[in-house]
Amino acid sequence: MEPEDYFMAAAVGACIVNQDKKVVGVGYNKMPNGCEDHMPWSRSKGEDAAAAVWANGGDLTVATAAKVAAAAAETKLDTKYIYVCHAVLNAIMDKNSADVKGCSIYVTLFPSNECAKLII
C-alpha cells in the first residue's frame, strides 16, 4: 500500500503528515471542547425529521441527513452545524509538531472555505 493510500484510509476527517511520512496531527468534525452538552438541540426538529426518514426505511447518508435536518430547522441558528469545528481545524490545533511547514494534509471531504484559509 502506498503511503498516500494509507493516510487517506487513516484520515477520520483530516490527517497531517510530515516529510518523513509520520502523522503529526489528526482531526474530525466535533463540537468545541466543553460545548457538547450545553447547547439546546439534543433532538432538534431537523434531527427528528432525519430520524423519521431513517425509521421509515429511507436511505440516508451523513450528508443527506444533514440536509434534511437543516431544511427542517426554522433557522440556521437552530442547528448545530454552524457551531461544529471542522476536521482540518482540529487537526491543525491538535498537532503534535511545532511547525507544519512542508507537511501534507489528507482530508476525507473537500475543505470548506474557512478550512482552505487555514491550510494556506
Side-chain angles (χ1 to χ4, degrees):
M1 176 182 278
E2 293 296 316
E4 290 78 14
D5 295 329
Y6 173 79
F7 295 127
M8 281 302 296
V12 180
C15 181
I16 301 173
V17 179
N18 68 13
Q19 294 168 339
D20 296 327
K21 303 293 184 205
K22 295 188 177 167
V23 175
V24 296
V26 294
Y28 56 94
N29 294 342
K30 67 180 192 108
M31 291 297 290
N33 291 338
C35 294
E36 297 89 353
D37 298 327
H38 302 292
M39 298 296 189
W41 50 65
S42 59
R43 292 287 292 181
S44 72
K45 293 177 186 176
E47 288 172 333
D48 288 340
V53 171
W54 182 264
N56 290 322
D59 183 25
L60 282 179
T61 63
V62 173
T64 305
K67 287 178 185 175
V68 169
E74 292 178 21
T75 71
K76 284 188 175 188
L77 296 176
D78 290 337
T79 68
K80 64 183 175 183
Y81 303 107
I82 62 171
Y83 302 101
V84 170
C85 294
H86 289 181
V88 171
L89 171 65
N90 282 314
I92 292 170
M93 296 302 293
D94 294 336
K95 68 187 182 310
N96 62 5
S97 174
D99 190 10
V100 291
K101 186 174 184 174
C103 291
S104 298
I105 187 164
Y106 297 88
V107 295
T108 54
L109 298 173
F110 195 81
S112 68
N113 64 329
E114 294 300 316
C115 289
K117 292 176 195 175
L118 292 169
I119 293 169
I120 294 170

